[in-house]
Amino acid sequence: MLRALGRASTGPVTVGDDELAALRSMLRRVHAALRDAERLSVADHSARLWLVELGDLEYRAEDVFEELEYECRRAAQLEDLKIDLLRAAGAAPTTGKRKREVAQLFAAAPAARLRRKIDDIWARYGEIASDRKRLRLRPGDGAARRPAAGALVPSSSLPRGEIHGRERDLQRVTDLVYRCKPDGGRNYTVGAIVGMAGVGKTSLAQHVCSEEAVASQFDLNLWAWVSQEFDVVGMTAKIVEAITRARPDCSELSALHGTMVEHLAGKRCLLVLDDVWDDNPIHWDTITAPLSCCAPGSTVVITTRSKMVAKMVTPNVYHLDCLSDEHSWYMCRRRASRGGATIDDELASIGQQIAKKCRALPLAAEAAGTTMNTSVTREHWNNVLESNLWADNDEAKNNVLPALKVSYDHLPAPLKRCFAFCSLFPKSFVFDKDALVQLWTAQGFIKTRGECRPEDVGAGYFYDLVARCFFQLSPSHGIGKGKYVMHDLYQELAQFVSGHECRMIHQLNLTGANKTTRHLSIVHDETNSDKELLLKSFCSHDLRTFLFLARMEQVIRGEMPCRRKIVPCGLVTDFECLRVLDLSNTDIVEVPKSIGSLIHLRYLGLDNTGIQMLPESVGALFHLQTIKLNHCSSLTQLPQGIKLLLNLRCLEIAHSNVQMPSGIRVLTSLQKLPIFKGCSVQGTILQPF
């Protein structure tokens, strides 16, 4: 069966069922290759370029399938609405121009253009596959690169730094170690120290182990570094090696357990398992099974970045937070003054500002201090202060970001995409959980199964990132408000891992965007706010996200941001692949009728704008899931065609004087719809769904 897409001057253009099946098969292979690559650390430059090109091909193929689907639905669903609108235009005292506008609504896409897109996809697929074969390195092309020397594996015997600013934490963890009671029927206690990368969990555990009040309580003081690469047998062997001070000569789990029992029986032991990632309870039970032979009062302490791991092993959890700015400056100053350098008051003033950029993370403070120590001069320190501290110096790139990236590498593939997308938001941005999940869903990052709602799955993704310390509750909002913040260094990490695909740029400074950018945000500042933005010359035609972000100071204070005078020109007509379009807090007063051409659009944000109506062409946006019209005081009605948006899940119209159109009750996918007292739909009181 042939599916006609329309007619060109040369006759009908069709796509046969066989070609559709071949396209789907190609897309599945591309998708599988990209998902496999997400589980690997790809260092080869040619391979990374190949994956970028393959990702671009995946985007194009997805767009074509949606265009094919749209053309099938357009004729079936939009023609009736068009007839109704023409009838209404004929009955009302409207102009001929209005009738012509209605007649042109929902026109079919030029078939030749869609045919050309399909042909280009096949040609590009063949080119990428062919180049990959020709350019792939062969085994004899060079010797393998030797791995760089890694960081020292932590242990209780390594030299410890000062515990400045952690005295209270030290006392509380010490109490946790030898005063907590056993739980779960065990004769030993388990305690967990949890916190983000670089916050000082290992250092704190080292100090606790060496405290006389702690060490004197135990016959054996053992330390084992777990790390990301987890293996039950290998981990058990590490514990045996810590006990016997010799590498075991067997690799069978039962024999290793026997050795542990032989050496631990009847002894009071302190075992530290540092940097635990695995959250499989069966693995945990297997490793700790021999500890039941220890004497009562034995203790296991784990350090982890994951709240899920901590919760799995014990209810005795200590959450280690960042330092104060004062203590962060102390660490910077101590490292910067190594070698006897003198720091005067003027340098100290600059240094304190640098320390604030570390956002109280000890690892960052140490790295910043090392950078400052290379030249203890006002000129150098001012350069450090004005630079991007985490992208422009080797100390940060070699020590800070790699430590954080381990957390990213351990994420499941869907969470990696969700986290990288957060690079679109500026530092100190206050994230709304529900809004972020809606954006992830619009981009297809949320994978649902069965009858699970995408809102629930997306919330699970978000709370997983919270549990892994990628987000923290916003200190400016109460618990339960759904507001979160991200540490500056994690925001830097998001920008690093997203590469060119995501770009956050400040208004009028578009040097960061390029032709490979798929997701773009503009953070508004008030400088030259009347100047028009020309995005087309900077961004790819295949842009999928455009966010216009207001300044955060007003949002944090709970105020509505001022409406900005800039609306990027040509955004609707130039970027037809958009999934997300958010022009909230701009001075836009009219949504162009051409918005109906954005057939891939899932998310439309127009909060706090001066729009008076939405065009009927919105009815053609079959994939639309979220419409936000909060604080649109001039808006009085919604288009009749909104009843065709069967995928609409969220309609927000708070503080807007909107009269609901008839037929909205057919939108059974709606999960969120504000109910206004006395608001009616054609005379019928609107009831909750």
Side-chain angles (χ1 to χ4, degrees):
M1 176 181 176
L2 296 180
R3 302 180 185 273
L5 302 180
R7 293 183 179 274
S9 58
T10 57
V13 180
T14 59
V15 177
D17 284 347
D18 290 344
E19 185 173 12
L20 284 174
L23 277 170
R24 289 193 181 93
S25 178
M26 180 268 288
L27 184 57
R28 284 195 298 269
R29 289 194 295 270
V30 170
H31 183 80
L34 291 172
R35 299 298 84 82
D36 287 343
E38 287 178 341
R39 295 194 293 268
L40 304 174
S41 178
V42 181
D44 183 73
H45 289 289
S46 64
R48 281 189 289 183
L49 177 60
W50 178 73
L51 290 171
V52 169
E53 293 176 340
L54 208 58
D56 177 71
L57 185 69
E58 180 185 39
Y59 283 147
R60 293 187 186 185
E62 289 174 348
D63 290 344
V64 163
F65 272 111
E66 287 197 358
E67 290 187 46
L68 289 169
E69 178 190 1
Y70 171 80
E71 287 302 319
C72 293
R73 296 181 63 181
R74 180 190 60 79
Q77 297 186 22
L78 294 179
E79 289 304 317
D80 289 342
L81 174 62
K82 188 172 179 179
I83 292 171
D84 291 342
L85 293 173
L86 282 171
R87 188 180 296 118
T94 54
T95 63
K97 179 181 178 182
R98 169 60 177 161
K99 294 178 181 178
R100 287 193 298 272
E101 288 176 351
V102 173
Q104 293 171 2
L105 277 176
F106 318 130
R113 186 184 67 176
L114 191 51
R115 176 72 262 177
R116 197 160 49 244
K117 287 183 179 181
I118 295 173
D119 292 341
D120 288 345
I121 286 173
W122 283 120
R124 186 66 180 137
Y125 181 64
E127 181 183 348
I128 292 173
S130 176
D131 284 350
R132 182 61 179 153
K133 292 178 181 178
R134 289 198 300 265
L135 298 178
R136 180 178 294 167
L137 294 175
R138 292 178 291 274
D141 288 341
R145 185 190 302 271
R146 290 185 177 181
L152 287 174
V153 175
S155 82
S156 59
S157 301
L158 286 177
R160 301 169 301 141
E162 291 185 49
I163 198 70
H164 187 80
R166 291 295 191 199
E167 294 80 8
R168 185 179 181 183
D169 298 309
L170 179 62
Q171 183 59 51
R172 290 187 172 183
V173 174
T174 299
D175 292 343
L176 182 73
V177 167
Y178 69 93
R179 291 185 181 176
C180 288
K181 296 181 180 179
D183 61 272
R186 297 176 292 215
N187 65 337
Y188 58 91
T189 299
V190 180
I193 306 173
V194 63
M196 65 184 292
V199 79
K201 302 180 295 295
T202 297
S203 178
L204 183 61
Q206 288 173 331
H207 279 82
V208 169
C209 288
S210 64
E211 286 288 304
E212 180 61 29
V214 174
S216 62
Q217 300 291 319
F218 301 99
D219 301 316
L220 290 175
N221 193 325
L222 309 172
W223 186 289
W225 183 56
V226 181
S227 81
Q228 187 177 3
E229 299 299 328
F230 187 85
D231 170 64
V232 171
V233 175
M235 190 63 247
T236 306
K238 284 185 178 181
I239 297 175
V240 170
E241 184 175 352
I243 296 171
T244 63
R245 308 296 180 182
R247 184 164 297 179
D249 55 5
C250 64
S251 59
E252 291 186 3
L253 186 61
S254 59
L256 294 171
H257 277 181
T259 303
M260 288 180 64
V261 171
E262 178 184 349
H263 288 81
L264 299 180
K267 294 181 180 178
R268 201 174 189 189
C269 304
L270 171 61
L271 172 62
V272 178
L273 298 178
D274 186 33
D275 199 22
V276 178
W277 292 83
D278 189 85
D279 58 1
N280 188 323
I282 296 177
H283 292 170
W284 171 257
D285 291 340
T286 302
I287 287 175
T288 57
L291 299 181
S292 60
C293 70
C294 293
S298 295
T299 300
V300 177
V301 176
I302 74 161
T303 69
T304 180
R305 305 181 189 186
S306 171
K307 296 176 185 177
M308 294 179 294
V309 170
K311 184 178 179 180
M312 176 193 72
V313 301
T314 180
N316 304 316
V317 178
Y318 187 77
H319 296 273
L320 188 61
D321 295 322
C322 292
L323 296 169
S324 66
D325 285 341
E326 177 186 355
H327 292 138
S328 182
W329 162 232
Y330 175 87
M331 296 185 71
C332 280
R333 181 169 189 154
R334 183 187 62 189
R335 185 60 66 97
S337 60
R338 281 189 174 181
T342 301
I343 299 176
D344 58 27
D345 291 344
E346 187 175 354
L347 278 174
S349 177
I350 301 171
Q352 288 168 3
Q353 296 177 66
I354 295 174
K356 287 184 178 180
K357 294 179 68 173
C358 299
R359 295 296 299 274
L361 190 69
L363 179 64
E366 293 282 354
T370 300
T371 301
M372 295 156 66
N373 181 253
T374 59
S375 178
V376 186
T377 63
R378 283 180 287 278
E379 180 182 4
H380 175 65
W381 283 25
N382 274 318
N383 288 336
V384 173
L385 177 62
E386 295 169 4
S387 69
N388 185 336
L389 187 59
W390 313 117
D392 296 342
N393 75 80
D394 292 336
E395 180 67 25
K397 286 189 289 187
N398 294 336
N399 293 307
V400 180
L401 286 182
L404 297 178
K405 192 173 182 296
V406 174
S407 296
Y408 170 80
D409 291 337
H410 198 69
L411 291 175
L415 267 64
K416 287 182 177 179
R417 292 190 289 275
C418 292
F419 171 69
F421 187 82
C422 295
S423 64
L424 295 176
F425 300 91
K427 294 174 181 177
S428 302
F429 186 85
V430 178
F431 291 89
D432 180 273
K433 172 183 68 70
D434 294 336
L436 187 58
V437 168
Q438 289 166 351
L439 292 171
W440 289 345
T441 304
Q443 295 300 339
F445 298 156
I446 308 299
K447 302 302 180 184
T448 60
R449 292 182 179 179
E451 297 182 357
C452 294
R453 301 189 317 146
E455 293 83 2
D456 296 334
V457 177
Y461 286 8
F462 185 87
Y463 287 128
D464 198 345
L465 289 170
V466 171
R468 298 169 189 263
C469 299
F470 284 83
F471 290 101
Q472 296 87 38
L473 281 168
S474 169
S476 304
H477 298 79
I479 297 176
K481 300 294 185 180
K483 306 295 184 182
Y484 293 80
V485 293
M486 180 181 289
H487 192 282
D488 285 1
L489 285 176
Y490 277 94
Q491 207 280 338
E492 293 280 354
L493 176 65
Q495 291 188 5
F496 174 75
V497 299
S498 66
H500 293 294
E501 185 161 313
C502 298
R503 273 293 179 264
M504 175 193 65
I505 56 180
H506 288 271
Q507 189 173 295
L508 305 179
N509 178 21
L510 295 177
T511 56
N514 59 38
K515 297 298 182 181
T516 63
T517 298
R518 290 291 178 271
H519 309 286
L520 176 69
S521 67
I522 293 183
V523 181
H524 179 81
D525 59 39
E526 296 183 351
T527 307
N528 299 320
S529 60
D530 291 325
K531 189 172 181 179
E532 194 173 55
L533 285 173
L534 297 174
L535 291 180
K536 190 174 183 180
S537 59
F538 292 92
C539 302
S540 166
H541 179 72
D542 300 320
L543 195 69
R544 288 191 159 206
T545 300
F546 180 85
L547 301 174
F548 190 84
L549 302 176
R551 291 175 60 189
M552 284 299 100
E553 292 85 350
Q554 293 171 301
V555 176
I556 292 173
R557 293 196 302 265
E559 303 172 4
M560 286 304 300
C562 298
R563 291 173 180 169
R564 308 308 179 191
K565 294 183 179 180
I566 295 179
V567 176
C569 66
L571 191 60
V572 171
T573 54
D574 292 339
F575 302 103
E576 62 179 22
C577 297
L578 281 173
R579 261 75 172 163
V580 170
L581 175 60
D582 196 334
L583 296 177
S584 297
N585 307 308
T586 66
D587 70 338
I588 182 173
V589 295
E590 182 181 4
V591 178
K593 300 177 181 63
S594 56
I595 195 172
S597 65
L598 301 181
I599 63 174
H600 307 288
L601 198 66
R602 268 89 165 159
Y603 182 106
L604 178 61
L606 295 167
D607 288 343
N608 190 32
T609 58
I611 62 169
Q612 300 177 9
M613 61 177 294
L614 289 177
E616 287 293 345
S617 56
V618 168
L621 305 179
F622 295 137
H623 293 288
L624 205 55
Q625 300 166 345
T626 301
I627 302 178
K628 296 197 172 186
L629 302 167
N630 301 301
H631 297 277
C632 294
S633 56
S634 300
L635 184 66
T636 58
Q637 63 180 11
L638 297 177
Q640 294 183 43
I642 199 170
K643 63 186 178 183
L644 299 179
L645 306 182
L646 301 181
N647 289 310
L648 195 64
R649 304 186 67 83
C650 175
L651 175 61
E652 296 184 8
I653 51 176
H655 307 289
S656 300
N657 302 314
V658 176
Q659 181 180 358
M660 292 289 188
S662 61
I664 198 171
R665 290 185 182 277
V666 303
L667 303 182
T668 56
S669 294
L670 274 173
Q671 306 293 310
K672 187 174 183 180
L673 176 68
I675 307 300
F676 297 99
K677 185 177 181 180
C679 180
S680 64
V681 182
Q682 296 288 312
T684 303
I685 299 298
L686 188 64
Q687 300 296 327
F689 283 79

